[in-house]
Structures are given as C-alpha cells and as structure tokens.
Amino acid sequence: MKLVRYGDKGFEKPGLLHTDGTLRDLSRVVRDIDGAALSDAGLSRLEWVDAAMLPIVPEGVRLGAPVANVGKLIAVGLNYADHAAESGMDVPPEPVLFMKATSAISGPDDPIELPRGSTKLDWEVELAFVIGTRAKYVPLESAMDHVAGYMICNDVSERSFQIEHAGQWVKGKSHDSFAPLGPWLVTKEEVPDPQNLSLWLDVNGSRRQNGSTATMVYGVAYLVHYISQFMTLEPGDIITTGTPPGVGMGMDPPQFLWEGDTVDLGVEGLGQQHQRVVLV
C-alpha cells in the first residue's frame, strides 16, 4: 500500500494511492495515518479495504507528510562511507544519532524556508522508515518485524548552524520545513529489500546526488536494533537513515541553496519530491 495524507497544512486527511493512479479518501476507514493505523492490527485492517470503492480525491490537492502525530524524528549521520569522506570525517564505529524537531516536518512539495541568518543551506536525500510495532531492546534477527514502511526524507541542513555554532547538530537540522516527507508511505511488503534502492537529488535541474542504499554503513535492521537499545521506539516514530555523497558542503567549492532555488529528489519505488527555497 501507498498511504498518504492530503489537504491544507494542519487539516490533512488520510488517503491511499490506488493502483489506477488515483488518490482515494480513507477518512471513513481511519482517523489518520498515525501510530495506531501503522500498527500490525491497523495495517491488517487497511489491507482489507477495497480501494476501488473509496471516494476519489480531486487532482492537484496538496500532499502533507504521510505520518501524523510523529513522536520522534531520529536521524543517522555519516551513514554512507563516501559521504563521511566528503565531509572530512571518519566512518563512525557506531551509528551517529541526532534528533530533528518534529516541527520541521513538512509535505513533499512544500517550500523550504531559508532561515534568518542562513549562509549554508544544504540538501540531503535519504531513505526514511517508520516504526509500526513498539521496539525496546530488539534483537537484530527480529528487527524488521518492527518496521511499518518507507518514505523519502530530505534532511535539509543549515551547515553554519550545525557545525560552526556551539552545541549539537539539532540546531542546524530543525528549522521549520527542514524535514519534507513523502509523497507517500510505502508499506514494507512493497519494499522487499530496503538495502537495494537507488536515490538521487537535483538542484536547479542539475544532478547533485546519485547513490544507493546498498552502500549504507548501517542498514535498516541494524538501526532498529541499535537505536532500541537506547530508547523505546513507538509506532509512528520515524528514522531517516543518512545520505549518499553529493551534498553542497562537500563540493569544491561548496555550494548552498538560496532563495528561488529548486530541489527535486527521489528514492526508487517511493516517489519524488519537489521544493522551492523561499525567504522566511
């Protein structure tokens, strides 16, 4: 299934993408695409829904982030060896974890805000996954049982806030609009191997990133296992897994986003995003 949330920001409704390409309304079936809907029981109920009988949503409607009421948005840094190299950093001996504020979550085609004082606004195409079953001290061999599905995340970053200011990375990762998600959540049965997906990103029509999840240092299963040793993962929590090389910070000379720039990105089987940079 491909699950979506559509409508004006803050008033999104649940939906799904039918096999005929139409968007169908799920409002009479579930309250929202949240942790309850993404649990094993919730997804089992949705699998029995006859999408052809659901109301068709008019074309051109805005898509929001596919998951509502996200409790935690956890990100993994330096999870591609070649991206670590372009950042001038070693491959970490354990996953590098940081948080992005959930207020940074936005729709897949919503504008990216250029924050006040920003000088180094950067892009990062990433595979994200969503937890469907509560995970605490999860063994590696059963880690994938806790995954509900996958989607695209653009881990937008302000590098001067992230690196040149004191403190943690979260400051450079959490401005409003710094976590575009979607366009849809693809449930795990449609993604048999999350470690074999191509991903790409263009800036103003020029290719900047072109990679594969096959080159991740720490894969999805290991991340569920590892993170669950330090915190409980609840249904609806999102983990975004790192980016391949080609970010603006790693270019020679570095290149960053400014007002009017456009960003297009995609992950194999998970759709595409499009954003324009705007001044706050």
Side-chain angles (χ1 to χ4, degrees), residues 80 125-129 144 147 149-153 186-200 209-216 220 241-244 266-271:
Y80 289 72
V125 59
E126 303 195 358
L127 170 70
F129 64 91
M144 296 302 289
V147 175
Y150 304 90
M151 60 186 164
I152 303 168
C153 176
V186 181
T187 51
K188 62 182 177 182
E189 77 277 358
E190 293 194 18
V191 186
D193 185 2
Q195 304 309 145
N196 189 29
L197 302 175
S198 61
L199 60 172
W200 57 271
Q209 293 185 273
N210 194 11
S212 171
T213 59
T215 63
M216 278 187 194
V220 171
T241 60
T243 197
V267 177
E268 181 181 353
L270 305 185

Side-chain angles (χ1 to χ4, degrees), residues 222-272:
Y222 187 82
L223 291 174
V224 174
H225 158 70
Y226 179 85
I227 296 171
S228 74
Q229 310 304 309
F230 302 98
M231 66 189 82
T232 301
L233 299 173
E234 300 286 356
D237 286 349
I238 296 172
I239 295 93
T240 189
T241 60
T243 197
V247 300
M249 177 179 65
M251 300 180 70
D252 186 16
Q255 297 183 20
F256 298 107
L257 297 170
W258 300 99
E259 181 186 13
D261 286 343
T262 60
V263 183
D264 294 272
L265 59 152
V267 177
E268 181 181 353
L270 305 185
Q272 300 183 21

Side-chain angles (χ1 to χ4, degrees), residues 84-177:
E86 73 172 352
S87 302
M89 302 179 186
D90 295 331
V91 174
E94 297 182 36
V96 173
L97 305 180
F98 60 92
M99 310 296 283
K100 291 176 74 80
T102 56
S103 56
I105 293 173
S106 59
D109 301 326
D110 290 345
I112 295 172
E113 294 185 2
L114 185 69
R116 295 177 184 177
S118 171
T119 58
K120 297 180 179 180
L121 186 64
D122 209 344
W123 56 84
E124 294 189 16
V125 59
E126 303 195 358
L127 170 70
F129 64 91
V130 185
I131 296 297
T133 304
R134 188 173 186 267
K136 184 174 183 177
Y137 298 125
V138 173
L140 180 59
E141 56 270 20
S142 61
M144 296 302 289
D145 295 342
H146 297 269
V147 175
Y150 304 90
M151 60 186 164
I152 303 168
C153 176
N154 185 0
D155 178 17
V156 182
S157 309
E158 213 300 329
R159 302 300 189 188
S160 63
F161 297 175
Q162 175 189 357
I163 298 171
E164 298 168 13
H165 291 236
Q168 299 180 343
W169 287 6
V170 64
K171 290 187 293 187
K173 297 283 189 171
S174 293
H175 188 80
D176 294 352
S177 78

Side-chain angles (χ1 to χ4, degrees), residues 48-69:
W48 286 98
V49 172
D50 183 356
M53 301 300 295
L54 297 173
I56 297 177
V57 177
E59 294 184 7
V61 69
R62 170 189 174 270
L63 295 181
V67 181
N69 304 318

